[in-house]
Amino acid sequence: MFHRWTGSMTKRDIWVTPAFAGESVSAGYSFREGGYSEGAYRGLNLGFHVGDDTQKVTENRAYVAECGFGPVSEWVVAKQVHGNGVAVVGQAERSSGALADVLPVPDCDALVTNEPDTTLVVLTADCVPVLFYDPIHHAIGAAHSGWKGTTLHIVQQVFFHMNFLYHTEAKDLQVSIGPSIRRCCYEVDDKVADPVRREFGEQYLVPRFQTKGKYFLSLQACIQSDLRKLGVPAENIDDVGVCTSCHTDVLFSHRAEHGRTGRECGLIRLNQ
Ligand SMILES: [Zn+2]
């Protein structure tokens, strides 16, 4: 069912899978193909909050669950607020935000657990989905990292939680950076550039030719920098390299589709 991104897309290639996914951990990123939604949300829209038909989103989620991430009643979805809050979840939080009539985990942008059969889900459409796996202590995390979460170092917050709770060591942590808007398309102004400069440095911003105050930003490079500073080895960081804005035929992009679009997701689940 899952495929590595090869740079060319066929009808069957509706997913990418992190390098670390295997028997003990299921993980993947959904694409647009294969769902029931129509119009601006065409395809596999997984967001209830974007104005799509609730029944169609429910059917789309059930379809994804059947691909090794289910049942949907075991998913955990947060109300994402572009912060750096991390929630520790488990059996008690299952179904939160997963079903249309169950509230999401309140106001946070990352989830961690060491309980099997609990699927962590982050919804994105340009922001960076980041999945974490500690194969030694058998623990996982998922983060939604837009420019705000990135400049608030959300990926480091996930590690600190996993380290404190599960004794995860940076050298063992496997991390995957999913489909998201990339430097080719992500133009920002000084409102975004200033915190990036302050937190990461000028090198992550490429000035737009002859346009003062406009830059192209690589959130993925900032995230990699944060992970490397923690001591996560470069070979443990897997960037799938797909730009959402370049590929609205197969992915949802908030920027490219002027705010009216669906949500893809990153999912991760420990198996028994
Ligand atoms: Zn692009």
XYZ file of all heavy atoms in Angstrom, residues 148-213:
545
model
N 5.521 29.207 12.795
C 5.466 29.562 14.221
C 6.004 28.425 15.080
O 6.853 28.631 15.938
C 4.036 29.915 14.629
C 3.592 31.271 14.094
C 2.204 31.631 14.592
C 1.762 32.961 14.006
N 0.333 33.215 14.212
N 5.503 27.206 14.827
C 5.980 26.058 15.594
C 7.471 25.828 15.397
O 8.190 25.470 16.336
N 7.936 26.052 14.171
C 9.357 25.842 13.875
C 10.210 26.846 14.648
O 11.205 26.470 15.283
C 9.607 25.960 12.360
O 8.822 24.965 11.691
C 11.079 25.738 12.030
N 9.794 28.135 14.636
C 10.609 29.129 15.354
C 10.435 29.014 16.873
O 11.226 29.549 17.630
C 10.288 30.574 14.886
O 8.884 30.806 15.008
C 10.728 30.776 13.452
N 9.414 28.262 17.302
C 9.259 27.947 18.734
C 9.922 26.597 19.068
O 9.773 26.091 20.174
C 7.775 27.890 19.103
C 7.019 29.222 19.088
C 5.507 28.992 19.169
C 7.483 30.129 20.222
N 10.622 26.020 18.079
C 11.414 24.790 18.273
C 10.556 23.618 18.745
O 10.919 22.876 19.663
C 12.569 25.043 19.257
C 13.425 26.213 18.859
N 14.337 26.129 17.832
C 13.482 27.488 19.304
C 14.929 27.307 17.683
N 14.423 28.158 18.561
N 9.450 23.422 18.088
C 8.536 22.353 18.518
C 9.189 20.972 18.432
O 8.929 20.106 19.266
C 7.201 22.400 17.744
C 6.187 21.425 18.366
C 7.377 22.127 16.257
C 4.774 21.586 17.868
N 10.063 20.754 17.448
C 10.664 19.404 17.349
C 11.576 19.127 18.548
O 11.679 17.985 19.007
C 11.418 19.164 16.013
C 10.451 19.174 14.840
C 12.564 20.133 15.800
N 12.215 20.177 19.071
C 13.029 19.975 20.267
C 12.131 19.679 21.474
O 12.478 18.858 22.332
C 13.907 21.202 20.518
C 14.946 21.409 19.405
C 16.064 22.338 19.803
O 15.938 23.140 20.721
N 17.176 22.243 19.085
N 10.978 20.330 21.525
C 10.037 20.062 22.622
C 9.575 18.598 22.599
O 9.425 17.976 23.655
C 8.825 20.990 22.526
C 9.139 22.434 22.848
C 9.673 22.612 24.262
O 9.184 21.992 25.199
N 10.698 23.423 24.403
N 9.342 18.073 21.409
C 8.952 16.661 21.304
C 10.061 15.780 21.874
O 9.815 14.871 22.681
C 8.640 16.273 19.842
C 8.445 14.759 19.712
C 7.400 17.008 19.350
N 11.296 16.067 21.469
C 12.410 15.263 21.990
C 12.492 15.368 23.512
O 12.658 14.346 24.199
C 13.750 15.675 21.364
C 14.903 15.032 22.080
C 15.156 13.673 21.911
C 15.684 15.754 22.971
C 16.189 13.054 22.617
C 16.705 15.144 23.679
C 16.958 13.790 23.502
N 12.387 16.581 24.062
C 12.512 16.740 25.524
C 11.441 15.913 26.245
O 11.716 15.295 27.275
C 12.400 18.222 25.925
C 13.527 19.072 25.403
C 13.296 20.379 24.985
C 14.824 18.576 25.290
C 14.326 21.168 24.490
C 15.865 19.350 24.802
C 15.609 20.654 24.395
N 10.238 15.899 25.703
C 9.179 15.085 26.307
C 9.501 13.594 26.213
O 9.334 12.852 27.186
C 7.831 15.374 25.632
C 7.175 16.621 26.133
N 7.612 17.881 25.806
C 6.114 16.803 26.958
C 6.854 18.785 26.410
N 5.936 18.153 27.107
N 9.966 13.161 25.034
C 10.270 11.732 24.863
C 11.451 11.328 25.739
O 11.494 10.228 26.285
C 10.539 11.419 23.379
C 9.292 11.564 22.515
S 9.575 11.196 20.763
C 9.791 9.403 20.797
N 12.406 12.230 25.885
C 13.574 11.955 26.719
C 13.155 11.823 28.184
O 13.545 10.868 28.881
C 14.597 13.083 26.533
C 15.762 12.976 27.495
O 15.829 13.710 28.474
N 16.648 12.033 27.228
N 12.327 12.747 28.659
C 11.899 12.759 30.056
C 10.995 11.572 30.382
O 11.154 10.902 31.395
C 11.174 14.080 30.352
C 10.698 14.197 31.765
C 11.592 14.482 32.795
C 9.354 14.020 32.087
C 11.154 14.583 34.106
C 8.908 14.111 33.401
C 9.808 14.394 34.408
N 10.060 11.305 29.471
C 9.043 10.278 29.743
C 9.519 8.863 29.433
O 9.189 7.922 30.149
C 7.797 10.552 28.906
C 7.010 11.814 29.236
C 6.089 12.153 28.085
C 6.219 11.609 30.525
N 10.255 8.735 28.322
C 10.561 7.386 27.814
C 12.067 7.103 27.782
O 12.476 6.068 27.283
C 9.972 7.219 26.404
C 8.536 7.699 26.273
C 8.176 8.616 25.287
C 7.551 7.233 27.145
C 6.858 9.062 25.170
C 6.236 7.682 27.033
C 5.900 8.600 26.044
O 4.613 9.047 25.941
N 12.868 8.068 28.225
C 14.334 7.939 28.231
C 14.921 7.855 26.821
O 15.978 7.258 26.614
C 14.767 6.745 29.093
C 14.111 6.736 30.443
N 14.375 7.689 31.387
C 13.156 5.920 30.973
C 13.625 7.467 32.464
N 12.867 6.401 32.238
N 14.225 8.441 25.881
C 14.725 8.473 24.500
C 16.036 9.255 24.447
O 16.157 10.321 25.035
C 13.676 9.180 23.604
O 12.486 8.402 23.619
C 14.186 9.363 22.186
N 17.023 8.690 23.723
C 18.284 9.402 23.508
C 18.335 9.891 22.069
O 17.884 9.198 21.153
C 19.460 8.471 23.789
C 19.557 8.096 25.262
C 20.791 7.237 25.530
O 21.895 7.645 25.118
O 20.609 6.154 26.110
N 18.920 11.080 21.893
C 18.945 11.700 20.561
C 19.604 10.785 19.535
O 19.184 10.719 18.376
C 19.670 13.043 20.620
N 20.631 10.065 19.945
C 21.374 9.227 18.988
C 20.513 8.090 18.420
O 20.821 7.550 17.367
C 22.647 8.655 19.634
C 22.386 7.638 20.724
C 23.690 7.094 21.291
C 23.485 6.152 22.462
N 22.558 5.052 22.276
N 19.451 7.738 19.144
C 18.588 6.637 18.694
C 17.356 7.127 17.934
O 16.649 6.332 17.313
C 18.075 5.831 19.902
C 19.205 5.256 20.718
O 20.178 4.780 20.108
O 19.114 5.298 21.969
N 17.058 8.422 18.054
C 15.788 8.929 17.532
C 15.791 8.926 15.997
O 16.720 9.416 15.358
C 15.553 10.350 18.050
C 14.151 10.919 17.843
C 13.101 10.097 18.582
C 14.107 12.376 18.318
N 14.717 8.349 15.432
C 14.513 8.355 13.983
C 13.450 9.408 13.698
O 12.407 9.420 14.357
C 13.999 6.982 13.519
C 14.906 5.814 13.883
C 16.023 5.642 12.871
O 15.901 6.035 11.726
N 17.123 5.062 13.316
N 13.717 10.272 12.741
C 12.782 11.365 12.467
C 12.493 11.434 10.974
O 13.398 11.272 10.145
C 13.361 12.727 12.933
C 12.317 13.828 12.767
C 13.820 12.654 14.382
N 11.232 11.699 10.653
C 10.840 11.854 9.252
C 10.149 13.203 9.051
O 9.273 13.584 9.829
C 9.899 10.716 8.870
O 9.304 10.995 7.625
N 10.568 13.901 8.017
C 9.994 15.203 7.647
C 9.128 14.977 6.412
O 9.612 14.529 5.380
C 11.123 16.214 7.368
C 11.947 16.436 8.641
C 10.560 17.524 6.822
C 13.214 17.250 8.430
N 7.814 15.280 6.531
C 6.870 14.905 5.490
C 6.609 15.978 4.449
O 7.226 17.043 4.454
N 5.669 15.704 3.529
C 5.318 16.636 2.462
C 4.886 17.990 3.037
O 4.068 18.034 3.961
C 4.141 15.946 1.759
C 4.322 14.494 2.050
C 4.898 14.445 3.436
N 5.419 19.066 2.509
C 5.182 20.407 3.064
C 5.704 21.426 2.057
O 6.422 21.071 1.123
C 5.917 20.547 4.402
O 7.211 19.959 4.345
N 5.335 22.697 2.279
C 5.811 23.718 1.337
C 7.314 23.919 1.530
O 7.802 23.951 2.657
C 5.010 25.038 1.512
C 5.236 25.962 0.317
C 5.314 25.720 2.834
C 4.239 27.114 0.233
N 8.031 24.015 0.404
C 9.490 24.061 0.481
C 10.013 25.387 -0.078
O 9.251 26.219 -0.556
C 10.077 22.857 -0.256
C 9.616 21.524 0.359
C 10.231 20.326 -0.320
N 11.636 20.152 0.005
C 12.072 19.449 1.058
N 11.236 18.827 1.856
N 13.374 19.346 1.278
N 11.312 25.536 -0.023
C 11.936 26.812 -0.388
C 11.571 27.268 -1.797
O 11.498 28.454 -2.071
C 13.453 26.708 -0.231
C 14.175 27.985 -0.576
C 15.437 28.170 0.221
N 16.314 27.032 0.120
C 17.281 26.751 0.983
N 17.496 27.536 2.013
N 18.025 25.698 0.828
N 11.303 26.332 -2.709
C 10.937 26.686 -4.080
C 9.703 27.576 -4.127
O 9.539 28.396 -5.037
C 10.703 25.420 -4.905
S 9.761 24.140 -4.052
N 8.794 27.421 -3.158
C 7.494 28.091 -3.188
C 7.200 28.933 -1.952
O 6.227 29.683 -1.950
C 6.380 27.051 -3.292
S 6.427 26.085 -4.797
N 7.995 28.796 -0.903
C 7.613 29.418 0.366
C 8.253 30.792 0.515
O 9.305 30.943 1.137
C 7.988 28.500 1.528
C 7.350 28.897 2.844
C 6.086 29.490 2.879
C 7.998 28.676 4.053
C 5.498 29.859 4.063
C 7.423 29.031 5.257
C 6.170 29.626 5.255
O 5.595 29.991 6.444
N 7.577 31.791 -0.074
C 8.049 33.167 0.041
C 7.489 33.782 1.311
O 6.303 33.639 1.594
C 7.591 33.983 -1.173
C 8.152 35.380 -1.176
C 7.614 36.213 -2.334
O 7.948 35.901 -3.479
O 6.851 37.156 -2.060
N 8.358 34.440 2.071
C 7.925 35.068 3.328
C 8.430 36.510 3.389
O 9.347 36.881 2.655
C 8.453 34.286 4.561
C 7.915 32.862 4.563
C 9.981 34.290 4.620
N 7.808 37.306 4.275
C 8.287 38.676 4.494
C 8.966 38.754 5.863
O 9.163 37.733 6.528
C 7.142 39.676 4.339
C 5.984 39.357 5.283
O 6.201 38.615 6.266
O 4.866 39.831 5.031
N 9.274 39.975 6.297
C 10.067 40.122 7.524
C 9.342 39.664 8.786
O 9.980 39.323 9.778
C 10.538 41.575 7.676
C 11.725 41.859 6.757
O 12.638 41.014 6.705
O 11.733 42.901 6.082
N 8.006 39.633 8.736
C 7.248 39.135 9.895
C 7.669 37.697 10.243
O 7.738 37.314 11.407
C 5.751 39.178 9.563
C 4.852 38.710 10.665
C 3.403 38.683 10.202
C 2.579 37.763 11.069
N 1.356 37.310 10.442
N 7.924 36.910 9.197
C 8.382 35.530 9.393
C 9.914 35.484 9.446
O 10.505 34.756 10.250
C 7.863 34.625 8.255
C 8.401 33.203 8.389
C 6.336 34.622 8.230
N 10.540 36.291 8.572
C 12.007 36.237 8.469
C 12.684 36.648 9.770
O 13.712 36.068 10.152
C 12.481 37.124 7.316
N 12.110 37.632 10.484
C 12.770 38.118 11.709
C 12.922 37.025 12.771
O 14.036 36.814 13.267
C 12.026 39.348 12.265
C 12.326 40.599 11.447
O 13.315 40.582 10.687
O 11.558 41.568 11.554
N 11.822 36.301 13.128
C 12.040 35.212 14.098
C 12.942 34.091 13.571
O 13.668 33.464 14.351
C 10.631 34.700 14.397
C 9.724 35.313 13.409
C 10.399 36.542 12.874
N 12.920 33.857 12.256
C 13.815 32.833 11.696
C 15.271 33.268 11.871
O 16.122 32.483 12.304
C 13.500 32.573 10.200
C 14.578 31.713 9.552
C 12.130 31.910 10.054
N 15.549 34.529 11.558
C 16.901 35.091 11.746
C 17.349 34.954 13.187
O 18.466 34.552 13.483
C 16.874 36.592 11.421
C 17.275 36.918 10.056
C 17.411 38.434 9.913
N 17.127 38.710 8.529
C 15.991 39.224 8.085
N 15.038 39.580 8.916
N 15.816 39.392 6.803
N 16.441 35.328 14.082
C 16.773 35.338 15.508
C 17.046 33.922 16.020
O 17.991 33.678 16.760
C 15.603 35.965 16.280
C 15.865 36.183 17.764
C 14.624 36.746 18.455
N 13.552 35.754 18.498
C 12.306 35.981 18.081
N 11.970 37.155 17.574
N 11.390 35.029 18.144
N 16.225 32.970 15.597
C 16.311 31.617 16.163
C 17.284 30.703 15.418
O 17.823 29.761 16.004
C 14.920 30.961 16.159
C 13.878 31.692 16.991
C 14.262 31.790 18.463
O 14.818 30.820 18.992
O 14.009 32.861 19.057
N 17.469 30.951 14.117
C 18.265 30.014 13.313
C 19.421 30.676 12.570
O 20.425 30.039 12.305
C 17.366 29.298 12.286
C 16.338 28.410 12.909
C 15.047 28.858 13.116
C 16.664 27.125 13.326
C 14.088 28.049 13.703
C 15.715 26.302 13.919
C 14.415 26.764 14.111
N 19.255 31.935 12.162
C 20.305 32.615 11.400
C 19.853 32.910 9.984
O 18.861 32.366 9.501
N 20.634 33.770 9.336
C 20.292 34.296 8.006
C 20.336 33.220 6.919
O 19.689 33.333 5.874
C 21.304 35.408 7.678
C 20.923 36.297 6.535
C 19.777 37.260 6.885
O 19.788 37.844 7.975
O 18.872 37.390 6.037
N 21.121 32.163 7.173
C 21.410 31.199 6.095
C 20.193 30.407 5.618
O 20.249 29.760 4.578
C 22.542 30.238 6.495
C 22.233 29.273 7.614
C 22.607 29.825 8.986
O 22.484 31.016 9.254
N 23.050 28.927 9.864
N 19.084 30.458 6.380
C 17.894 29.711 5.974
C 16.939 30.535 5.105
O 15.903 30.058 4.687
C 17.162 29.182 7.216
C 18.048 28.255 7.994
C 18.774 28.708 9.083
C 18.217 26.924 7.584
C 19.638 27.867 9.770
C 19.071 26.080 8.261
C 19.777 26.561 9.350
O 20.638 25.735 10.013
N 17.337 31.790 4.867
C 16.519 32.716 4.084
C 17.265 33.091 2.805
O 18.387 33.573 2.866
C 16.254 33.978 4.898
C 15.443 33.770 6.179
C 15.720 34.894 7.165
C 13.956 33.689 5.854
N 16.642 32.873 1.663
C 17.248 33.281 0.391
C 16.500 34.528 -0.097
O 15.298 34.453 -0.380
C 17.136 32.157 -0.662
C 17.713 32.616 -1.996
C 17.838 30.892 -0.169
N 17.191 35.694 -0.172
C 16.490 36.911 -0.598
C 15.951 36.771 -2.018
O 16.614 36.199 -2.886
C 17.579 37.990 -0.552
C 18.668 37.413 0.268
C 18.608 35.926 0.122
N 14.743 37.252 -2.221
C 14.166 37.240 -3.564
C 14.867 38.300 -4.413
O 15.022 39.440 -3.979
C 12.663 37.523 -3.489
C 12.044 37.466 -4.848
C 10.540 37.508 -4.803
N 10.064 37.397 -6.169
C 8.924 36.846 -6.535
N 8.133 36.350 -5.615
N 8.579 36.790 -7.776
N 15.235 37.943 -5.632
C 15.995 38.826 -6.524
C 15.266 40.154 -6.718
O 14.084 40.165 -7.096
C 16.192 38.116 -7.871
C 17.010 38.903 -8.862
C 18.334 39.239 -8.587
C 16.451 39.313 -10.057
C 19.084 39.959 -9.496
C 17.192 40.043 -10.983
C 18.507 40.368 -10.697
N 15.955 41.249 -6.424
C 15.447 42.612 -6.637
C 14.103 42.885 -5.944
O 13.327 43.723 -6.394
C 15.312 42.901 -8.143
C 16.674 43.004 -8.811
C 16.598 43.436 -10.260
O 15.586 43.246 -10.920
N 17.677 43.989 -10.775
N 13.806 42.176 -4.858
C 12.561 42.439 -4.119
C 12.904 42.574 -2.638
O 13.100 41.575 -1.947
C 11.543 41.304 -4.337
O 11.465 41.015 -5.727
C 10.171 41.685 -3.823
N 12.964 43.804 -2.182
C 13.381 44.059 -0.797
C 12.344 43.473 0.182
O 11.139 43.600 -0.030
C 13.491 45.577 -0.601
C 14.291 45.974 0.616
C 14.530 47.483 0.611
C 15.268 47.986 1.828
N 14.958 47.399 3.090
N 12.828 42.826 1.236
C 11.927 42.333 2.278
C 11.191 41.051 1.936
O 10.263 40.667 2.630
